[in-house]
Amino acid sequence: MWLQAQKVQAYMVPDSAVTEGWLGFSFLARLCRLCLYTHRRMAITAEDVCLDRVLLIQEGFAVEEVPPENNLQIPGSDVTVQVTSGGASLLVRLPFGSHTQTFLREVRRRCSPGKKDATAADPEQSAAGEVTGAPRLKTANKMVPSSSVPASGPTQGLSTRPCGLRDTLVKSLLKQKESSYTHLQNFRFFVGTYNVNGQSPRGSLRPWLSQDGEPPDIYCVGFQELDLSKEAFFFNDTPKEEEWFKAVTESLHPGAKYAKVKLVRLVGILLLLYVRTELAMNISEVEAETVGTGIMGRMGNKGGVAIRFQFHNSTVCVVNAHLAAHPEEYERRNQEVRDICARMQFHPLEPGCPLLAIKEHDVVLWLGDLNYRLEEQDMERVKKLIQTQDFQALHQHDQLKIQREAKLVFEGFQEGEISFQPTYKYNPGSDDWDDSAECRVPAWCDRILWSGKTVSLLSYQSHMALKNSDHKPVSAIFDVGVKVVDKKSYCKAFEGIVRSLDKMENASIPSVTLSKREFLFKDVKYLQLQVESFTISNGPVPCQFEFISKPNEDAYCKPWLIAKPSKGFLMPDSEVVIALELCVNKSTATALNSGEDKLEDILVLHLDRGKDYFLSVSGNYLPSCFGCPIQTLCYMKEPIREMLPEAIRELTLMPLLTDDAFWEEKPLDVPKELWMMVDLLCRSACHQEGLFQQPGLRPEFEQIRDWLDTGTLDVLGPVASNHSVAEALLLFLESLPEPVVCYKSYRSSLECANSYEMSSQVISMLPKCHQNVFHYLVAFLRELLKHTGKNHLDVNVLAGPNPSSIPEGGQTITAKGNCHNCKRWKQ
């Protein structure tokens, strides 16, 4: 059986067309091959994907980089490679980044010269199946430019390949002495944002992109709502990406030539990065990431995309965000900004380096449709202030200004003075304010902010000439002071550091002092993070530390615990704060409820060339209905917190029954906790728009969880948001160790999804308690569908998005998978 070692996204490039697919590297024993898989646009099923061709890694196998037409190779841009094997040839374009790096490293590792990898036993390719020679990778090490740059290299940036303690120390000392071999040089950055409302480009974009006399050095251009179709949302594919990319490329400043560095898109959020061709070789370490914050807090209808790169010796991160709409949702917008900052992490090109967060860059440029509105302003008063151009008075009511001044969002960021009229909402095709039934109050939804000590704003304006959307585009031009390396000074600093290290190195063993070694987590609750911190203080010798796994264990800690950071480097007489984060989730709750696992662990902190330190972690977990089997909850007549641990253990570990004859006491038809949530939604949320599509609030979920676990009220008390109850219901189903449609029946349920009779038969074979829950949930969904005119729900929405897009989706897919039969059961 062939094993898939690595795969990477690839674009097959014949003469004129470009076909998207995947390039996979697989092996069987000592035999290796490259497989190209292609798929049709918006692929849904396995039939939409096909194996296009197979290239055997044999004698004559080669991978060669194809130089661009203008012979301009931009570090960080996509790379075109020619793959040949025997008489077969394949031309593909690979996206630049850590995934491509990993793929190529795996190919080199498996097929390095001197290793006798053979062809596959294909009767048409190798009838004898013999090893005919080792493959050769002509320029595999050049396919993706390395981030390691020697002092005399063409790229004026610094990044040292980490190979051990000494190299890490050299890198740290070079960073400390950076001012001795760099000087600041100003470069002009153009930053633009435009919500295009799903429209295609009409006419030139030069009134927006090229309004200044001096051509920028770097363009950062962002779009939102590129495509509003359902296909773009579900398949993350749209032809409008190419339309707007072409429109931008043709509208860049005519006074200079530009090369595209990177393009990244999440559904309708698109970010483009261009650089002047003569500066292209000073760009390195380009990475792109996306974070969805939309439906269920994860989907890509809202969220952010970002590109980070190194320009000379300065690091820059550009973020394009589209946040939640509606005036009253400013707190959700604040949360989405925090989520993007927390979840947006970039993988460095060099293995072993820590992930990079947005704020760990010298310069951060944040643009997008941030959707902050004006606080409770009368439409006529707003229009009057706009007419008199009293933007300063109007800006006092701007939500973003209010939230920033309260330090609730974008702390550490700056924004230029707003001297232009609100950019939303207009009648498309005109400069007239919205006169639709909604009649939106004008607002500055489209904004550009920045952080960085060397950034100065030159202009900040909107562009009324573009009229094909209900938004107006916004631009900002910055002078950014970038650290440029002086080669001679760098060599001098580097040699001085090496000499001092040679004198400093000795047989000294590193040692540290820990501020705390015992950690107690009290009253831990489901999905409620608890953090304990301690400080590692280093002695006079630099050291590397890392939490290591104990003998016969795969991880350094139990799955409900994590240390941040789990490894690192300490300079002499320095210190670092370590956070131990404990959170019980769906994968760990069941074992803690039953007593099979306890909040007890020993962590081993290892020093490179030093001794080990042992840390004791303990705590108590408050049992929760989240993570309990359906059968267990049906037999629990009392709240779980009022039950003895032995009783909880017995009920949790009992085998799944097909009938109720095993116990004398008759169980509940459905878990009381499930009934409480569904009952509340039936009574108050049938007309709620966006139910199960908009995430709830964390404090409200915690309140609901405690009500369910303690039984302080027979029914749920007042909850501010129906969305929080709906999300609690989804999290409850997600946490079930055995889903409603049991694992052993799940495949057959999918196979029978198009037949009501066969689906009914599958459901009838479920344990009684699971049958009851299934019918109860379907009845609830049917009740919601009766009010579709008000809640705008339909079968497709309730069936949920593509499960593969939901992180940690095993249980979520299964819990929501019960809705695959919604169309049949609707009858």
Side-chain angles (χ1 to χ4, degrees):
M1 180 177 180
W2 287 89
L3 300 178
Q4 186 77 20
Q6 293 286 342
K7 72 178 190 308
V8 68
Q9 190 176 14
Y11 299 89
M12 190 166 60
V13 189
D15 295 335
S16 58
V18 177
T19 303
E20 183 177 354
W22 293 92
L23 190 63
F25 170 69
S26 57
F27 60 92
L28 173 61
R30 300 169 67 89
L31 311 179
C32 302
R33 66 183 183 181
L34 285 178
C35 304
L36 178 69
Y37 301 90
T38 59
H39 59 79
R40 74 172 183 85
R41 191 164 207 161
M42 299 180 183
I44 302 176
T45 66
E47 287 72 19
D48 298 326
V49 181
C50 67
L51 177 61
D52 185 90
R53 67 187 73 180
V54 176
L55 295 181
L56 302 175
I57 298 179
Q58 56 187 345
E59 184 177 5
F61 176 85
V63 178
E64 296 180 290
E65 180 180 346
V66 178
E69 295 180 1
N70 56 6
N71 206 29
L72 176 64
Q73 180 62 53
I74 303 175
S77 63
D78 296 345
V79 178
T80 303
V81 295
Q82 183 86 35
V83 184
T84 56
S85 177
S89 178
L90 177 66
L91 186 66
V92 294
R93 189 174 76 242
L94 305 178
F96 179 77
S98 56
H99 297 298
T100 296
Q101 284 274 68
T102 303
F103 177 82
L104 296 174
R105 273 199 303 270
E106 182 67 16
V107 173
R108 289 198 295 270
R109 187 177 73 85
R110 292 276 177 181
C111 313
S112 57
K115 181 178 179 180
K116 296 183 179 181
D117 292 313
T119 64
D122 187 326
E124 296 182 2
Q125 297 286 339
S126 176
E130 296 179 349
V131 177
T132 56
R136 56 191 176 92
L137 302 181
K138 290 185 178 179
T139 57
N141 61 328
K142 299 179 182 178
M143 291 174 64
V144 178
S146 170
S147 62
S148 296
V149 180
S152 59
T155 304
Q156 301 296 313
L158 295 178
S159 182
T160 307
R161 185 183 299 275
C163 299
L165 175 61
R166 182 182 175 91
D167 289 331
T168 305
L169 181 58
V170 169
K171 186 175 181 179
S172 297
L173 292 173
L174 278 172
K175 187 68 176 176
Q176 291 181 7
K177 294 178 175 290
E178 190 175 45
S179 60
S180 68
Y181 58 82
T182 63
H183 64 276
L184 287 180
Q185 181 176 334
N186 282 338
F187 292 88
R188 180 161 292 202
F189 281 58
F190 175 96
V191 180
T193 177
Y194 191 11
N195 183 320
V196 296
N197 193 32
Q199 304 298 310
S200 295
R202 295 197 295 268
S204 174
L205 301 180
R206 283 193 174 176
W208 170 39
L209 301 177
S210 306
Q211 88 288 355
D212 198 48
E214 182 179 344
D217 297 305
I218 287 180
Y219 271 99
C220 311
V221 184
F223 296 93
Q224 307 83 39
E225 295 189 359
L226 199 73
D227 192 332
L228 299 177
S229 67
K230 291 183 179 179
E231 291 79 9
F233 173 70
F234 284 109
F235 302 106
N236 195 24
D237 193 7
T238 171
K240 293 187 177 180
E241 175 185 304
E242 185 65 26
E243 294 176 8
W244 283 101
F245 166 64
K246 182 178 179 182
V248 171
T249 303
E250 293 175 348
S251 301
L252 299 179
H253 202 291
K257 292 184 178 180
Y258 295 90
K260 185 199 81 172
V261 177
K262 198 72 173 176
L263 177 153
V264 59
R265 180 177 60 81
L266 175 66
V267 186
I269 310 171
L270 174 69
L271 180 59
L272 291 162
L273 178 66
Y274 297 84
V275 63
R276 291 178 68 154
T277 54
E278 62 268 28
L279 300 174
M281 292 308 296
N282 299 308
I283 298 281
S284 63
E285 299 186 18
V286 182
E287 284 289 320
E289 291 293 342
T290 66
V291 168
T293 62
I295 296 175
M296 298 181 70
R298 294 282 178 176
M299 300 303 291
N301 58 313
K302 292 292 189 291
V305 301
I307 300 174
R308 63 90 52 197
F309 59 96
Q310 182 163 308
F311 186 37
H312 286 280
N313 215 46
S314 293
T315 56
V316 181
C317 182
V318 186
V319 184
N320 177 18
H322 188 193
L323 306 182
H326 306 303
E328 69 276 8
E329 296 290 351
Y330 61 89
E331 290 184 344
R332 192 173 303 280
R333 289 188 277 274
N334 294 350
Q335 182 61 49
E336 289 178 347
V337 172
R338 291 191 289 268
D339 288 345
I340 292 172
C341 289
R343 290 164 49 197
M344 186 80 75
Q345 295 186 317
F346 300 94
H347 295 265
L349 297 180
E350 300 297 343
C353 294
L355 299 177
L356 292 172
I358 291 175
K359 293 187 178 180
E360 296 180 79
H361 293 80
D362 298 322
V363 175
V364 179
L365 304 172
W366 195 302
L367 58 111
D369 179 3
L370 306 186
N371 252 325
Y372 286 93
R373 308 300 175 90
L374 296 176
E375 283 285 3
E376 300 178 1
Q377 292 300 297
D378 176 70
M379 171 71 85
E380 295 305 320
R381 181 176 181 275
V382 169
K383 288 182 177 180
K384 184 176 180 180
L385 290 173
I386 295 173
Q387 188 174 5
T388 59
Q389 296 191 354
D390 193 355
F391 301 131
Q392 186 174 2
L394 191 61
H395 191 224
Q396 300 304 312
H397 304 282
D398 176 66
Q399 288 180 342
L400 180 56
K401 173 182 172 63
I402 295 170
Q403 297 300 302
R404 285 184 58 230
E405 288 178 347
K407 297 186 177 180
L408 296 175
V409 71
F410 285 116
E411 192 170 359
F413 281 80
Q414 301 180 59
E415 184 182 20
E417 180 182 349
I418 293 183
S419 57
F420 51 88
Q421 70 182 46
T423 57
Y424 175 84
K425 178 182 184 180
Y426 295 86
N427 291 326
S430 72
D431 293 333
D432 300 328
W433 296 112
D434 176 33
D435 58 9
S436 66
E438 296 173 337
C439 197
R440 303 288 191 192
V441 176
W444 287 288
C445 290
D446 310 279
R447 312 290 274 270
I448 298 173
L449 300 93
W450 78 90
S451 70
K453 298 179 180 179
T454 62
V455 182
S456 59
L457 179 67
L458 301 181
S459 70
Y460 188 26
Q461 57 185 310
S462 66
H463 301 269
M464 302 295 292
L466 274 68
K467 306 177 188 296
N468 58 327
S469 172
D470 55 358
H471 289 249
K472 298 296 182 182
V474 173
S475 70
I477 296 179
F478 299 96
D479 261 347
V480 179
V482 174
K483 294 174 284 190
V484 178
V485 176
D486 179 78
K487 297 179 183 178
K488 291 183 179 179
S489 300
Y490 168 73
C491 290
K492 182 178 179 181
F494 179 81
E495 291 168 359
I497 290 172
V498 172
R499 283 194 299 268
S500 65
L501 285 180
D502 289 340
K503 296 178 183 179
M504 207 174 92
E505 286 183 342
N506 51 53
S508 298
I509 298 176
S511 64
V512 299
T513 302
L514 307 184
S515 63
K516 190 177 181 181
R517 297 198 190 189
E518 295 184 355
F519 304 89
L520 177 62
F521 293 86
K522 296 182 179 180
D523 297 338
V524 177
K525 299 179 181 179
Y526 183 78
L527 282 187
Q528 186 163 316
L529 178 69
Q530 286 197 25
V531 182
E532 291 284 340
S533 301
F534 69 98
T535 302
I536 304 177
S537 301
N538 191 26
V541 179
C543 74
Q544 283 181 308
F545 68 88
E546 180 179 6
F547 287 97
I548 61 173
S549 58
K550 298 179 285 294
N552 302 320
E553 294 187 9
D554 296 329
Y556 69 85
C557 65
K558 290 190 176 180
W560 36 259
L561 186 66
I562 188 172
K564 291 185 177 181
S566 62
K567 58 183 177 181
F569 170 76
L570 282 171
M571 293 289 288
D573 301 318
S574 64
E575 59 184 31
V576 63
V577 175
I578 306 294
L580 298 181
E581 297 184 354
L582 191 155
C583 184
V584 177
N585 57 24
K586 62 186 180 185
S587 63
T588 55
T590 304
L592 290 169
N593 278 335
S594 66
E596 294 176 286
D597 190 17
K598 296 183 178 180
L599 295 183
E600 294 178 355
D601 201 2
I602 299 293
L603 303 185
V604 181
L605 179 64
H606 173 72
L607 300 186
D608 186 26
R609 298 183 300 114
K611 66 177 184 178
D612 295 338
Y613 298 80
F614 298 90
L615 288 74
S616 172
V617 177
S618 61
N620 68 295
Y621 178 64
L622 299 179
S624 175
C625 62
F626 289 83
C628 281
I630 292 176
Q631 179 176 260
T632 300
L633 294 172
C634 286
Y635 278 98
M636 285 186 181
K637 304 297 181 63
E638 301 174 357
I640 191 169
R641 296 268 185 89
E642 296 182 5
M643 299 188 64
L644 295 175
E646 295 78 8
I648 298 175
R649 177 181 177 85
E650 183 180 6
L651 290 174
T652 303
L653 298 180
M654 71 178 182
L656 190 59
L657 307 176
T658 56
D659 56 54
D660 302 329
F662 186 80
W663 289 77
E664 295 181 359
E665 186 177 0
K666 187 180 185 303
L668 300 171
D669 290 333
V670 297
K672 56 186 179 304
E673 295 83 3
L674 175 64
W675 175 84
M676 293 168 71
M677 290 184 284
V678 172
D679 179 66
L680 179 59
L681 291 174
C682 283
R683 288 187 287 106
S684 62
C686 283
H687 297 169
Q688 178 70 58
E689 185 175 351
L691 198 66
F692 295 115
Q693 301 174 72
Q694 185 170 319
L697 299 176
R698 172 63 59 176
E700 293 180 359
F701 164 74
E702 293 174 354
Q703 190 179 19
I704 295 168
R705 177 205 58 211
D706 291 343
W707 280 334
L708 297 175
D709 290 341
T710 60
T712 51
L713 295 174
D714 292 334
V715 295
L716 291 177
V719 176
S721 170
N722 290 324
H723 299 298
S724 298
V725 181
E727 183 164 9
L729 175 59
L730 290 179
L731 290 172
F732 175 82
L733 295 174
E734 183 182 27
S735 71
L736 295 174
E738 184 74 32
V740 178
V741 176
C742 301
Y743 286 119
K744 65 179 182 180
S745 304
Y746 187 57
R747 180 176 295 277
S748 59
S749 72
L750 294 180
E751 293 172 351
C752 301
N754 292 323
S755 169
Y756 177 85
E757 292 75 13
M758 295 181 68
S759 296
S760 300
Q761 186 177 357
V762 171
I763 298 304
S764 68
M765 296 173 64
L766 296 176
K768 186 63 176 178
C769 56
H770 286 248
Q771 288 186 46
N772 292 342
V773 169
F774 180 85
H775 289 298
Y776 186 58
L777 290 174
V778 169
F780 168 55
L781 298 180
R782 189 185 299 119
E783 183 65 25
L784 291 179
L785 292 174
K786 291 179 181 178
H787 304 277
T788 186
K790 294 185 177 180
N791 58 34
H792 297 159
L793 294 174
D794 57 29
V795 173
N796 293 324
V797 172
L798 291 178
N802 183 351
S804 64
S805 64
I806 302 176
E808 298 182 0
Q811 297 284 0
T812 304
I813 297 169
T814 308
K816 296 203 72 178
N818 301 311
C819 296
H820 284 298
N821 293 322
C822 280
K823 294 181 180 178
R824 295 290 176 184
W825 287 95
K826 183 183 176 184
Q827 304 299 327

